[in-house]
Amino acid sequence: MEPSSLRVYGGVDGDHRKAERRVRFLEAGLDLIGAPDADATLSVRGVCKRAGLAARYFYESFADREELTAAVYDQVIDDLATGALAAVAAAPHDAAAKVRAGLGTVIGVVGDDPRRGRLLFSTRAGAVLAERRQRSTLLFVGLLGGQAKDFYGLGDSADLDVLSQFAVGGLAQTLTAWLDGALRIDRDDLVEHCTRIFLAIGAPGRD
């Protein structure tokens, strides 16, 4: 057996078991970071207790708690972006339908799982989350701009850059207020309001 090979137990190979443990740590991390009274930091001991796994398994997947925090956030963002893009692609070739599909997916994800909403939009943020949020904002600005270019056949422009930043920033603030209870509106109405706003912003360069 090669030194890097892992033994098989109960028909499940070591790599698969390691992957399963990693998923358990990610879920435990999301539970703790996304808790209503979370302070945006994790302890290795707390995560291990939540996951029901020994600390030695933690370190086979993560160097420290900051790496786990980043991995939890990145997983949520990846799921959110992938889901929104798939919804937009599946929607009819109509601006309102595509905007509604994308926004409906985003709002649904954070509304269905409060942990994810708090992770993404809570005002409590340590250094790791603050840095990740900046990066994810740029990601969604780029995705929104790219979708507008593809749909309307636009080229690069300062107008598109400004509107993309404005739309993503405005949506983030709106979702923060909604999740905190400061904005009292049901989900379907929120989707429709945000859809109208995104459409009202319009496509840069079009009359």
Side-chain angles (χ1 to χ4, degrees), residues 132-143 165 168:
R132 277 307 198 269
R133 287 174 182 174
Q134 289 181 339
R135 290 171 56 176
S136 65
T137 296
L138 293 177
L139 168 66
F140 282 102
V141 166
L143 291 178
Q165 294 276 359
V168 171

Side-chain angles (χ1 to χ4, degrees), residues 31-68:
D31 282 345
L32 294 173
I33 302 173
D37 57 351
D39 62 2
T41 61
L42 295 173
S43 70
V44 173
R45 177 178 296 180
V47 171
C48 291
K49 181 179 179 180
R50 186 75 177 187
L53 294 166
R56 66 188 178 90
Y57 291 126
F58 177 91
Y59 292 108
E60 73 180 1
S61 293
F62 307 100
D64 49 36
R65 65 187 185 183
E66 286 79 13
E67 186 172 308
L68 172 62

Side-chain angles (χ1 to χ4, degrees), residues 76-104:
V76 171
I77 287 295
D78 183 66
D79 289 346
L80 187 64
T82 300
L85 288 175
V88 170
H93 190 71
D94 170 79
K98 288 191 176 294
V99 171
R100 186 176 294 108
L103 290 173

